[in-house]
Amino acid sequence: TADLKAEAQRLGFDLVGIAPAAPPPHAAQLESWLEAGYAGEMAYLARNAVRRADPREAVPGARSIIVCGIHYRAAEPDPALWNDPGRGRISRYAWGDDYHDVLLPKLRALQEWLESRVGRARLGRSYVDTGPVLERPVGVMAGLGFQGKNTLLIHPRQGSWFFIGEILVDAELAYDAPQSIGGCGGCTRCLNACPTQAFVGPYVLDARRCISYLTIELKGPIPRELRPLLGNHIYGCDVCQEVCPWNRRWGRFTTHESFQPRPGIVAPELIELMRLTDDEFRARFKGSPIKRAKRRGLLRNVAVALGNWGDPAAIPALVAALNDHEPLIRGHAAWALGRIGGDDSRHALESRRAVEDDAWVLEEIDLALAALTHAAMST
């Protein structure tokens, strides 16, 4: 096990711990969380619920889980850009390369090293949030930290800005003990700071209200009542990590080149993003986690952020988006124009309404026009 950990560090992992392949603490709570509907459209969580609750169901004969972590937090953004409502906020984890492409080859290399040491051709499987593993509870078992009230895995001397991946193996290794220090105590900063109040209570997240879910996992329209709460978040959210005292004091910065910010990624101009074509989107976000949202998802989010910004400078880009080939983008552009207002917005909405054939987009246009009418009568 000592040699294994040394090899993990040689491969570039910042954290490594070993847990027994057994049901993690609180695994039974997954079922009640799913039954409450808190997973939203993430149906894959329910499909693999039994396997998630017991690693031995995922890899028969598994005896140990190797949990590895890599820091991803880069330098702090320029406040002048980060706090500009005309620029989008992107979660720090997506500033660099796709973490799956970085972690998985390292995990497989570590697995191959272990296989060569024990003399077997194959003895397990490697996962980076793509397998049926309750990663954060397993991380707690492996001594990588405690699970905070924001549900994240927090290392008491390194914070929570790290990715984790696992290797399930049928070899018995020396297990690490859970951390004896750490915990949230009476702190509720993350719960109070959440822009959409997504926490039902400590340790319980309603993903349907979480900005990360709404801007990444949700494939359809963002609920209208939540759109104003997103501000200028266009891909993910770090608020519950930013306010965490453990991160403020102990949060580590990454030394890995793969997670350094790509040019123009930290706080991109919203109007510029709103004009991206399909080809431009693919070229700009090749190898980035942002490609997961697809162009229609990202521009949906950008349209909401432009509506929240409320600057008339965004009207031309939103008017152009009213004619986009994606209904998801057209509908959210209509909402944003209704928020910004003005004669140009009204004329564009009326013109699009005359040719629109998507029922949901028509509904968004009508609601936007009604909002404009109401605003005009109020003044």
Side-chain angles (χ1 to χ4, degrees), residues 121-370:
R122 184 174 181 83
L123 78 166
R125 299 188 67 178
S126 300
Y127 296 117
V128 179
D129 79 14
T130 54
V133 180
L134 289 174
E135 295 185 309
R136 286 168 284 185
V138 167
V140 173
M141 292 171 62
L144 267 58
F146 63 93
Q147 199 157 0
K149 290 180 180 178
N150 60 5
T151 76
L152 299 178
L153 181 62
I154 304 172
H155 191 287
R157 289 295 180 268
Q158 300 189 40
S160 64
W161 304 101
F162 59 91
F163 298 119
I164 56 175
E166 307 80 34
I167 311 173
L168 276 64
V169 298
D170 64 0
E172 186 170 352
L173 301 170
Y175 304 133
D176 291 288
Q179 290 278 349
S180 59
I181 60 173
C184 295
C187 179
T188 58
R189 293 185 189 182
C190 59
L191 310 184
N192 299 334
C194 178
T196 55
Q197 295 298 291
F199 294 101
V200 179
Y203 313 105
V204 182
L205 174 72
D206 184 348
R208 298 169 299 181
R209 296 185 65 88
C210 175
I211 291 177
S212 288
Y213 169 84
L214 293 168
T215 57
I216 303 172
E217 296 288 345
L218 183 66
K219 305 309 177 189
I222 295 174
R224 295 186 186 100
E225 69 275 12
L226 296 179
R227 293 173 194 172
L229 305 180
L230 267 60
N232 62 336
H233 291 276
I234 60 171
Y235 191 89
C237 178
D238 291 329
V239 169
C240 66
Q241 295 196 84
E242 291 168 345
V243 302
C244 178
W246 292 101
N247 276 333
R248 286 179 173 268
R249 181 172 183 183
W250 299 105
R252 295 283 185 92
F253 288 96
T254 186
T255 59
H256 300 277
E257 186 63 29
S258 297
F259 301 132
Q260 296 304 318
R262 294 182 170 197
I265 195 69
V266 174
E269 293 184 0
L270 293 171
I271 292 176
E272 177 194 2
L273 289 179
M274 198 71 234
R275 299 185 186 278
L276 283 179
T277 65
D278 289 305
D279 289 341
E280 289 169 343
F281 173 85
R282 284 190 290 268
R284 181 164 181 166
F285 298 112
K286 182 180 180 180
S288 164
I290 295 175
K291 69 182 184 296
R292 181 178 181 185
K294 297 185 171 52
R295 174 182 174 273
R296 60 179 175 271
L298 180 65
L299 268 58
R300 170 199 64 184
N301 305 337
V302 172
V304 170
L306 287 172
N308 290 332
W309 180 27
D311 195 308
I315 291 177
L318 290 167
V319 169
L322 276 182
N323 297 302
D324 196 272
H325 62 277
E326 292 283 359
L328 191 66
I329 296 173
R330 299 200 301 272
H332 287 80
W335 177 85
L337 289 168
R339 292 269 291 185
I340 297 173
D343 290 340
D344 290 341
S345 293
R346 176 180 293 280
H347 294 155
L349 289 165
E350 290 173 341
S351 296
R352 183 64 211 183
R353 194 189 189 290
V355 297
E356 181 59 58
D357 59 1
D358 184 281
W360 172 75
V361 178
L362 281 170
E363 182 181 357
E364 289 287 348
I365 291 174
D366 287 342
L367 288 170
L369 288 169

